[in-house]
């Protein structure tokens, strides 16, 4: 198989590339900054980097997307590219909509026009659900009620994909992965921000003070490598005609904890229990979601899957990644 990965130089993209190559398939990686393509070498390694074909494509440059689909043929597209930081979407809401809604719409249209056999995996987000009751699980049937511009932009993209699967020949399914982290997660995201600061403290580049945001929000956190494994396995199942167009799959980790729990594990892991924690107002979201309780029974039963990577390994790998970056 020959797969296109959008957002190839982002967070999940390099891990997705690794998983595709592990499966013996070919990868075309779409990136908006070709000068940064080598930056993913610390995730995929030199050998895998040589196997990847990089192409320019920017989700806000719709003509560039057309060129990608005009000059090649793909068996599937893992659409991971996005404006993906909810707090920043309040500052540039139009950019979020342009990137996530219009960029996704153009990818759909290009597949419909040029590659009718291509399968689209559209990577959505639980942010489309907004704030849900704390005593209920979020299922694939939970109504969409986003409470930030990022969530709105992804909900629009989701609806476009689903409508196209109903009224055209677009072959597509959606995934909504709940909180996940791991190597290459941006330092502007919770947990990774803490890991980056721990790395700086360990290397003597920061005083033993960690600036924190809201540590009471509760999340089930998975490893990004488990998440992309599910993406890949679902794609294979679609090609076997075991998935219908428009299906939606939740993917999540195992246990619900406050964000503070994950920081405490990292501090204990590196003997930094005495580090001071200091509130940083700018780390607080304008509109936060206090708790997310996902129901991913559907994908677990379908694939006979459970997360394979323990959270302790995820967090250690995250800190070690930042040790090599700071």
């Amino acid at each position: 198989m020959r797969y296109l990965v959008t957002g190839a130089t982002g967070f999940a993209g390099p891990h997705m590339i690794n998983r595709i190559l592990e499966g013996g398939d070919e990868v075309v990686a779409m990136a908006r900054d070709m000068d940064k393509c080598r930056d993913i070498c610390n995730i995929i390694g030199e050998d895998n980097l040589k196997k990847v074909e990089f192409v320019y494509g920017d989700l806000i440059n719709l003509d560039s997307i057309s060129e990608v689909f005009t000059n090649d043929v793909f068996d599937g597209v893992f659409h991971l590219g996005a404006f993906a930081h909810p707090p920043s979407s309040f500052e540039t809401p139009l950019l979020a909509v342009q990137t996530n809604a219009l960029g996704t719409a153009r990818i759909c249209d290009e597949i419909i026009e040029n590659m009718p056999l291509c399968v689209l995996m559209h990577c959505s987000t639980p942010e489309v659900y907004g704030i849900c009751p704390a005593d209920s699980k979020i299922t694939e049937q939970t109504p969409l009620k986003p409470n930030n511009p990022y969530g709105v932009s992804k909900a629009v993209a989701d609806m476009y994909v689903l409508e196209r699967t109903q009224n055209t020949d677009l072959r597509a399914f959606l995934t909504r992965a709940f909180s996940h982290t791991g190597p290459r997660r941006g330092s502007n995201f919770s947990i990774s921000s803490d890991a980056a600061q721990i790395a700086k403290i360990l290397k003597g580049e920061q005083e033993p003070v960690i600036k924190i945001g809201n540590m009471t929000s509760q999340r089930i956190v998975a490893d990004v490598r488990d998440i992309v494994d599910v993406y890949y396995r679902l794609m294979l199942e679609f090609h076997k005609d075991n998935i219908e167009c428009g299906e939606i799959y939740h993917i999540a980790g195992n246990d619900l904890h406050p964000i503070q729990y994950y920081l405490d594990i990292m501090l204990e892991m590196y003997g930094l229990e005495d580090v001071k924690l200091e509130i940083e107002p700018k780390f607080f979201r304008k509109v936060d979601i206090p708790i997310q309780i996902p129901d991913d029974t559907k994908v677990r039963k379908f694939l006979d899957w459970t997360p394979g990577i323990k959270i302790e390994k995820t967090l250690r790998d995250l800190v070690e990644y930042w040790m090599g970056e700071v």
Side-chain angles (χ1 to χ4, degrees):
M1 295 290 185
R2 185 171 175 81
Y3 292 116
L4 175 71
V5 177
T6 72
T9 58
F11 165 45
H15 298 285
M16 188 77 252
I17 290 171
N18 275 342
R19 183 63 185 90
I20 294 169
L21 292 175
E22 180 185 320
D25 298 311
E26 298 178 357
V27 179
V28 178
M30 191 176 97
R32 65 179 179 180
D33 188 345
M34 299 298 284
D35 292 335
K36 293 186 177 181
C37 292
R38 278 201 58 84
D39 291 353
I40 68 173
C41 191
N42 58 356
I43 300 296
I44 72 173
E46 286 286 352
D47 290 341
N48 275 350
L49 189 69
K50 296 174 183 177
K51 300 175 184 178
V52 179
E53 179 182 339
F54 290 93
V55 295
Y56 167 72
D58 190 336
L59 292 174
I60 61 173
N61 180 348
L62 301 185
D63 289 340
S64 72
I65 297 174
S66 297
E67 290 182 13
V68 171
F69 284 88
T70 299
N71 297 325
D72 209 334
V73 177
F74 311 112
D75 296 290
V77 175
F78 292 95
H79 179 31
L80 311 184
F83 181 114
H85 191 234
S88 299
S89 69
F90 284 101
E91 301 171 9
T92 55
L94 183 58
L95 180 60
V97 173
Q98 287 177 318
T99 306
N100 297 337
L102 295 182
T104 299
R106 177 54 69 92
I107 287 175
C108 290
D109 291 355
E110 292 296 333
I111 292 174
I112 293 166
E113 182 175 348
N114 297 306
M115 300 179 199
L117 298 180
C118 180
V119 177
L120 170 66
M121 191 218 79
H122 171 56
C123 182
S124 180
T125 170
E127 291 282 339
V128 299
Y129 299 119
I131 298 176
C132 297
D135 58 349
S136 64
K137 288 188 175 183
I138 304 171
T139 73
E140 287 87 352
Q141 289 74 44
T142 297
L144 306 189
K145 195 177 179 181
N147 66 345
N148 59 60
Y150 166 69
V152 170
S153 69
K154 294 295 281 188
V156 172
D158 291 5
M159 288 188 285
Y160 191 88
V161 173
L162 293 173
E163 183 277 328
R164 293 286 82 188
T165 63
Q166 295 170 9
N167 296 316
T168 73
D169 294 329
L170 179 66
R171 307 173 71 210
F173 65 97
L174 280 68
T175 56
R176 292 185 180 133
F178 284 72
S179 296
H180 52 288
T181 192
R184 202 171 169 79
R185 186 58 154 167
S187 61
N188 57 342
F189 288 88
S190 63
I191 301 178
S192 190
S193 170
D194 302 333
Q197 294 182 75
I198 287 173
K200 289 179 181 179
I201 292 170
L202 291 172
K203 300 190 79 170
E205 297 182 12
Q206 178 173 316
E207 293 297 316
V209 177
I210 295 180
K211 295 186 181 296
I212 59 172
N214 181 6
M215 307 302 284
T216 63
S217 296
Q218 298 183 64
R219 296 291 187 271
I220 295 176
V221 179
D223 190 292
V224 63
R225 293 161 290 194
D226 275 335
I227 297 297
V228 299
D229 177 58
V230 174
Y231 292 166
Y232 183 74
R233 291 177 62 184
L234 287 172
M235 179 67 78
L236 296 184
E237 293 298 328
F238 198 107
H239 280 292
K240 296 175 185 176
D241 296 325
N242 292 332
I243 296 177
E244 295 184 5
C245 288
E247 288 286 346
I248 302 170
Y249 293 93
H250 283 177
I251 313 168
N254 285 324
D255 302 312
L256 181 70
H257 297 287
I259 295 298
Q260 181 71 48
Y261 171 84
Y262 304 103
L263 173 56
D264 289 343
I265 289 178
M266 292 186 287
L267 292 177
E268 181 179 359
M269 193 178 286
Y270 288 91
L272 298 175
E273 296 96 324
D274 295 332
V275 162
K276 181 181 177 182
L277 306 183
E278 185 176 290
I279 296 294
E280 174 54 67
K282 70 179 181 180
F283 286 179
F284 281 76
R285 287 191 179 193
K286 185 175 182 179
V287 179
D288 202 358
I289 298 175
I291 186 171
Q292 285 181 334
I293 307 178
D295 184 342
D296 65 345
T297 304
K298 179 178 176 180
V299 81
R300 290 187 184 228
K301 287 185 175 180
F302 178 56
L303 296 179
D304 189 22
W305 173 84
T306 55
I309 301 175
K310 294 184 179 298
I311 191 62
E312 290 79 9
K313 174 174 174 52
T314 302
L315 297 175
R316 182 177 293 278
D317 288 352
L318 179 59
V319 174
E320 293 302 316
Y321 164 78
W322 281 115
M323 290 287 286
E325 290 293 306
V326 300

